[in-house]
Amino acid sequence: DVKVTQSSRYLVKRTGEKVFLECVQDMDHENMFWYRQDPGLGLRLIYFSYDVKMKEKGDIPEGYSVSREKKERFSLILESASTNQTSMYLCASSYPQVNEQFFGPGTRLTVL
Amino acid sequence: AQRVTQPEKLLSVFKGAPVELKCNYSYSGSPELFWYVQYSRQRLQLLLRHISRESIKGFTADLNKGETSFHLKKPFAQEEDSAMYYCAFNYGNNRLAFGKGNQVVVIP
C-alpha cells in the first residue's frame, strides 16, 4: 500500500511564525503535491514537484514556499503565517504517467 | 479559472434512493476525469476514473463530451456512501483541478 504521511495532524501557530509542514511518501513517486482544503472551495493546488529540487507554482502559491531535497520528502513552508492560512493542508504523491494521486491524512493548521 | 463545476454543495438522500452528483468541466481537448471520495475521518482517495469505465462500490460515471459532463451515479444509496465527493480533472502534467465538492448524506 502506498503510504503518504504528514508530520502533524493538528498544528496551532501564531501570526508571523514560520511554519513547516512535512510530507513523506514511501512509494518512490516522482510527483508530489501540496493542496489546501477549505469548505466551499474544495481543494486548491499550492505547489507541486516533479523531481528532487524541482518545484512549480500551483494556483495559490502566494505566502507559501516548498522544498524537495529528497525524493520522498516534500515540505511546505509558510514564511510568515497569517490567519487566512488557517486551513486543512493535504499532501499527495503520484507516478509521473499515472494520474491517480495518493493523499496523506492532512494537517489542520490554525493560525491565531 | 474554474475548470470543474459541482453545483450542489449538500445532497441528502434516503437509503435505497438513487443518487446523482453532477460535474461539468471546461476543456476543449480530450479530458481525463476522476471522482475522489473522502469518508469521515479518512483520507481522500480515488473512487473511479473515466478511462477505466468500471463500477466501484456501485458507482458509475460516464463522460459526456457533448455536455462536458462527468456525473456520478448510484442507483441505490447506502448509509456507507455518506461522504464528501470531489470531481477532478487533469489539466496537464499530472496536475488535478478539483471541484468544490459535494457532501452526501444518506438518511437511514
Side-chain angles (χ1 to χ4, degrees):
Chain A
D1 273 352
V2 176
K3 221 30 183 317
V4 180
T5 57
Q6 295 182 230
S7 51
S8 306
R9 287 289 277 134
Y10 300 94
L11 210 52
V12 180
K13 296 291 182 181
R14 297 208 173 272
T15 301
E17 281 193 79
K18 190 168 186 175
V19 182
F20 293 86
L21 303 183
E22 305 286 341
C23 175
V24 178
Q25 50 92 7
D26 66 358
M27 278 300 292
D28 204 34
H29 285 166
E30 283 81 0
N31 299 342
M32 296 190 75
F33 308 83
W34 273 107
Y35 297 88
R36 60 178 286 175
Q37 182 183 31
D38 299 289
L41 296 178
L43 274 76
R44 292 178 291 167
L45 182 63
I46 305 171
Y47 265 97
F48 59 101
S49 169
Y50 293 135
D51 204 346
V52 176
K53 306 259 186 213
M54 293 183 66
K55 59 184 179 183
E56 299 282 346
K57 293 181 180 179
D59 295 324
I60 51 164
E62 297 78 20
Y64 303 94
S65 63
V66 290
S67 172
R68 192 155 181 213
E69 297 297 319
K70 293 185 178 182
K71 190 175 186 179
E72 67 271 19
R73 187 180 298 269
F74 192 35
S75 303
L76 180 69
I77 303 155
L78 287 67
E79 295 290 342
S80 178
S82 63
T83 54
N84 62 13
Q85 292 178 309
T86 291
S87 186
M88 172 69 85
Y89 289 88
L90 300 182
C91 175
S93 69
S94 73
Y95 289 115
Q97 300 306 322
V98 179
N99 286 313
E100 178 178 1
Q101 293 185 12
F102 294 87
F103 284 83
T107 295
R108 183 165 295 283
L109 172 67
T110 301
V111 183
L112 301 175
Chain B
Q2 180 67 35
R3 302 177 185 90
V4 179
T5 304
Q6 293 179 249
E8 299 105 356
K9 287 186 180 179
L10 176 64
L11 191 67
S12 298
V13 297
F14 285 102
K15 178 181 174 181
V19 59
E20 181 179 26
L21 303 181
K22 297 187 187 301
C23 173
N24 289 90
Y25 63 91
S26 302
Y27 189 67
S28 58
S30 295
E32 189 173 5
L33 287 143
F34 308 83
W35 277 98
Y36 278 77
V37 61
Q38 188 170 28
Y39 301 102
S40 179
R41 301 184 190 281
Q42 294 187 30
R43 59 186 70 196
L44 192 64
Q45 59 187 288
L46 178 68
L47 179 62
L48 53 79
R49 68 189 88 190
H50 90 272
I51 56 172
S52 53
R53 303 180 66 83
E54 58 191 345
S55 172
I56 303 291
K57 299 184 179 183
F59 284 97
T60 58
D62 292 319
L63 176 62
N64 185 324
K65 291 186 180 180
E67 296 182 359
T68 61
S69 68
F70 188 56
H71 302 330
L72 183 69
K73 300 177 184 178
K74 184 170 182 176
F76 308 104
Q78 303 299 314
E79 290 181 66
E80 56 265 29
D81 297 328
S82 295
M84 180 69 85
Y85 293 81
Y86 292 97
C87 184
F89 163 71
N90 173 23
Y91 63 104
N93 294 327
N94 303 118
R95 293 170 297 174
L96 294 179
F98 286 83
K100 296 183 179 181
N102 293 125
Q103 180 71 53
V104 172
V105 176
V106 180
I107 304 164

